[in-house]
Amino acid sequence: MDPHADADADPTLTVLCLGVAPRPDAASDWGPFVWREAATPDDAVRDLAHTPFDALLWSPTTLAAAQAALAPDGPLAGVARRLALLLVTHADAPEYAAVRAVMAAGVQDVLPASTPVDSLARAVRLAVERQRRELALRDAHATDLATGLPTHAQLLEHMTHLLALREREPAPMALIVLQVDGLSQPAISPTAEAEQVLRRKVAVRLRAALRASDVVAAIGDDRFAVLLAWIDAADAGPRVAAKLAASLRQPFKLGGAMCRVSVRMGLAAYPGHGRDAETLLARALGQAASTAT
């Protein structure tokens, strides 16, 4: 078997090593490898923010400590979404429940410290290639085809990464959900294509009203989300939401006729309404669903 058969043109893997762990030789048949070291999870987060890595090889004190660091409010929250994460455990036979918990947090593999170096190199290479395939599949479904906007899953991933940074560099954020009613306009055009054209017009209007740093996502056939990655005043979220809703309530031209949509809004603010992506989105969705147009 050729370990590089599915590798990119440059097969070199850049691996961040956190804690004491055996490191395969840079010239291993499963490499080549470039190694960098980090002393603590916080150091690793800083390194990951500035340098692209293919994998994180981590030797935590216990698997419970790893699980805590990978939790939504932990220093390494969201890291496993972006690179291959492997743990080297000091226990030769870790408990199945502990292994299952860290695997659920995105860990690709859990290896005993007694793992031969060449086997460790093989595990790193295969974990990176699995991760690359998963990312490729995720990216293939990351964009709403009608609007060109990120999808629900991509929004959650972006929020999770940003929230992990916010835990160390606090700054307020806001998430707005816009429930747009009336995208189907049978009196004007009953076709599905017309509805998609109107969705595109809504997306363009939202994007034009926001800063380049703000994120707009299509999270359903008639729902859009806006992430204000940084706000400088407590009323900024409600103010922007009202501005966006007012913009969407202006008529759209569709098939030579003018049509209107109605808008319901929901808002969630970080950190007041939650500290993880799912909680914030659920809050904003619930508020939009219960708000009168």
Side-chain angles (χ1 to χ4, degrees), residues 1-227:
M1 173 183 175
D2 178 3
H4 298 157
D6 295 324
D8 293 337
D10 178 6
T12 302
L13 297 184
T14 304
V15 184
L16 182 62
C17 186
L18 174 57
V20 179
R23 294 187 297 179
D25 186 271
S28 162
D29 287 342
W30 293 92
F33 297 99
V34 174
W35 296 96
R36 299 287 185 268
E37 293 184 357
T40 67
D42 285 335
D43 291 337
V45 169
R46 283 192 290 272
D47 290 343
L48 292 168
H50 297 98
T51 305
F53 286 92
D54 297 298
L56 174 62
L57 183 63
W58 180 17
S59 182
T61 53
T62 64
L63 291 185
Q67 184 182 1
L70 293 167
D73 58 348
L76 292 175
V79 164
R81 293 174 179 265
R82 296 180 284 127
L83 48 72
L85 175 56
L86 299 92
L87 302 185
V88 176
T89 177
H90 298 286
D92 281 343
E95 293 184 3
Y96 171 65
V99 173
R100 184 175 60 182
V102 293
M103 297 290 277
V107 171
Q108 287 267 5
D109 208 346
V110 178
L111 305 161
S114 59
T115 301
V117 172
D118 192 60
S119 297
L120 183 63
R122 178 180 182 275
V124 171
R125 167 64 64 180
L126 296 181
V128 168
E129 296 196 0
R130 282 196 303 271
Q131 181 80 356
R132 287 174 177 172
R133 285 193 294 271
E134 290 167 7
L135 288 173
L137 288 172
R138 192 187 312 164
D139 289 345
H141 301 284
T143 302
D144 179 78
L145 297 180
T147 63
L149 296 176
T151 61
H152 179 278
Q154 193 73 356
L155 173 68
L156 285 176
E157 181 171 348
H158 181 78
M159 287 178 65
T160 298
H161 175 52
L162 189 57
L163 287 165
L165 297 178
R166 287 290 178 265
E167 289 296 314
R168 286 168 293 285
E169 301 175 7
M173 296 165 43
L175 178 68
I176 300 165
V177 166
L178 300 160
Q179 173 80 45
V180 183
D181 299 317
L183 288 173
S184 178
Q185 301 274 340
I188 297 171
S189 176
T191 67
E193 176 59 27
E195 182 175 344
Q196 298 309 314
V197 169
L198 188 50
R199 289 183 73 233
R200 283 195 291 272
K201 289 179 178 290
V202 167
V204 168
R205 196 172 286 186
L206 289 174
R207 185 70 269 172
L210 294 163
R211 303 167 299 186
S213 59
D214 299 326
V215 176
V216 184
I219 59 173
D221 290 340
D222 56 0
R223 292 193 301 267
F224 296 83
V226 173
L227 176 63

Side-chain angles (χ1 to χ4, degrees), residues 234-251:
D235 67 341
R239 181 162 35 85
V240 173
K243 181 181 75 169
L244 294 175
S247 172
L248 295 184
R249 288 172 182 141
Q250 296 300 311

